[in-house]
Amino acid sequence: MRPIATTRMAAGIPTGRLAVWWVVASEIVIFGGLLVSYIMHRLARPEWGDHAANTNVWIGGFNTFVLLTSSLSAVLAHKAAVSGNGPKAAKLLYATFVGACTFVIVKAFEWSMEISHGYTISSNTFWSFYYTAAGLHALHVIAGAVIMLIVAQTAKRNLELHRVELIGIYWHFVDIVWIFLFPLLYIAK
Amino acid sequence: MSEHAEHAEHEINYVKVWAILLGLLVVSILGPFLGIKAVTLITAFGIAIVKAYLVAKNFMHLNIEPRYAVYLLVTMLVFMFLLFAGSAPDIMKHEGRNWVKPIVHAEAQAPAHH
């Protein structure tokens, strides 16, 4: 028997997809609250520009490239799923998974470098925001990567292909959050 | 797969959207090197809004969802601005007629590297 969320559509959107939109809506409040708090403090404290000057814009830029590219593979996986090609969708989801892993590895390298230079979460309020915002985002990347693997496992057998679209929506949202974190943490100096 | 998704597939060149996003990324990185504050604001944050719009419209297919899904997300954004409006006066002011924030003055005087 298929889960009800795949077949039921009481509100004009399949229930599974509507649930993902609700997840995205709640995530907007979580990340939005964090980012708005950061912006308020950043505007009130010009000296944060000096702290932000210690973040590496090229590493942040590379990770933005990785996430944008992984969003492309996620939406192409969705396209493959629409045409009923589960194995191709699975391959593209694996590519997205590789993108997620690359992002996390680069992030780990970047944090190691910053911590070794003495910039830790308790250095000052800027670095507290930096590690909290980027860390919360990285946790979402890891969660998305794990879900991506699970969805790919069933998609390659041409099963539950609607899930490809659902994980895609989540993944694009994670991408959008980074699109705003990047200028806030790396560019505004 | 839903009709809405099939409709989206016929109309969007995803690789082209991705290429535009990468072009915007390059501009957002290089713009601030000019050292002009207005250019930095536009290239960094203006472009972030454009990039987010492109991803939401073309990759998440939000433009062809029933309108209430958009309203749902916009409502959350409104909450975000309410938070800003409600707490900004307290957070962004460092001193008033009979009060100061000692921690702000302490951080301002501390060196960037701890």
Side-chain angles (χ1 to χ4, degrees):
Chain A
M1 185 184 289
R2 302 182 75 200
I4 190 112
T6 64
T7 52
R8 184 167 176 268
M9 186 162 73
I13 300 177
T15 310
R17 198 165 76 221
L18 181 58
V20 177
W21 284 123
W22 272 109
V23 169
V24 169
S26 64
E27 295 280 0
I28 289 176
V29 179
I30 293 169
F31 280 105
L34 194 59
L35 294 188
V36 161
S37 302
Y38 175 85
I39 290 168
M40 281 189 277
H41 284 86
R42 177 72 181 81
L43 290 173
R45 302 176 183 187
E47 69 274 12
W48 277 27
D50 299 332
H51 302 313
N54 295 301
T55 59
N56 190 319
V57 69
W58 299 109
I59 293 179
F62 176 76
N63 259 351
T64 310
F65 164 76
V66 169
L67 274 193
L68 289 175
T69 307
S70 70
S71 255
L72 173 69
S73 57
V75 78
L76 289 177
H78 173 201
K79 189 178 178 182
V82 168
S83 61
N85 192 342
K88 186 180 177 186
K91 277 181 193 167
L92 286 160
L93 284 182
Y94 288 133
T96 312
F97 174 78
V98 170
C101 291
T102 307
F103 181 91
V104 173
I105 290 167
V106 170
K107 179 64 54 193
F109 167 75
E110 181 189 16
W111 278 20
S112 312
M113 210 166 61
E114 284 158 355
I115 290 168
S116 70
H117 283 87
Y119 305 118
T120 66
I121 195 167
S122 55
S123 290
N124 54 49
T125 325
F126 168 81
W127 288 103
S128 299
F129 265 111
Y130 172 84
Y131 284 109
T132 304
L136 185 64
H137 178 264
L139 283 177
H140 281 75
V141 170
I142 292 167
V146 171
I147 298 168
M148 204 98 60
L149 274 187
I150 296 168
V151 172
Q153 285 300 313
T154 49
K156 74 179 175 190
R157 298 196 304 271
N158 260 332
L159 297 172
E160 310 292 358
L161 289 183
H162 68 284
R163 289 181 180 171
V164 178
E165 180 183 24
L166 306 189
I167 183 60
I169 291 173
Y170 170 84
W171 193 250
H172 302 312
F173 173 74
V174 170
D175 188 13
I176 287 177
V177 170
W178 184 255
I179 282 173
F180 286 105
L181 279 179
F182 174 58
L184 284 172
L185 300 178
Y186 294 86
I187 292 181
K189 298 185 191 292
Chain B
M1 197 58 54
S2 63
E3 226 174 84
H4 119 287
E6 283 171 20
H7 173 72
E9 304 306 329
H10 293 301
E11 310 219 337
I12 303 168
N13 183 338
Y14 295 117
V15 177
K16 189 177 169 188
V17 174
W18 171 74
I20 293 170
L21 287 168
L22 290 192
L24 290 173
L25 169 63
V26 171
V27 174
S28 67
I29 291 174
L30 297 182
F33 281 101
L34 293 173
I36 305 166
K37 200 174 180 183
V39 175
T40 300
L41 284 174
I42 292 168
T43 54
F45 299 104
I47 284 180
I49 292 169
V50 175
K51 279 196 289 188
Y53 171 77
L54 286 175
V55 171
K57 181 184 172 213
N58 298 299
F59 288 176
M60 298 170 96
H61 305 128
L62 197 52
N63 59 324
I64 49 174
E65 281 287 25
R67 193 53 64 92
Y68 78 85
V70 180
Y71 293 153
L72 171 67
L73 303 184
V74 169
T75 304
M76 301 305 151
L77 291 174
V78 170
F79 283 143
M80 219 174 84
F81 287 108
L82 278 177
L83 172 69
F84 185 93
S87 46
D90 183 38
I91 290 176
M92 295 178 67
K93 278 181 76 71
H94 294 171
E95 55 191 28
R97 190 173 297 171
N98 293 312
W99 58 273
V100 290
K101 287 181 185 168
I103 190 167
V104 173
H105 295 290
E107 275 198 6
Q109 286 160 12
H113 189 160
H114 287 252

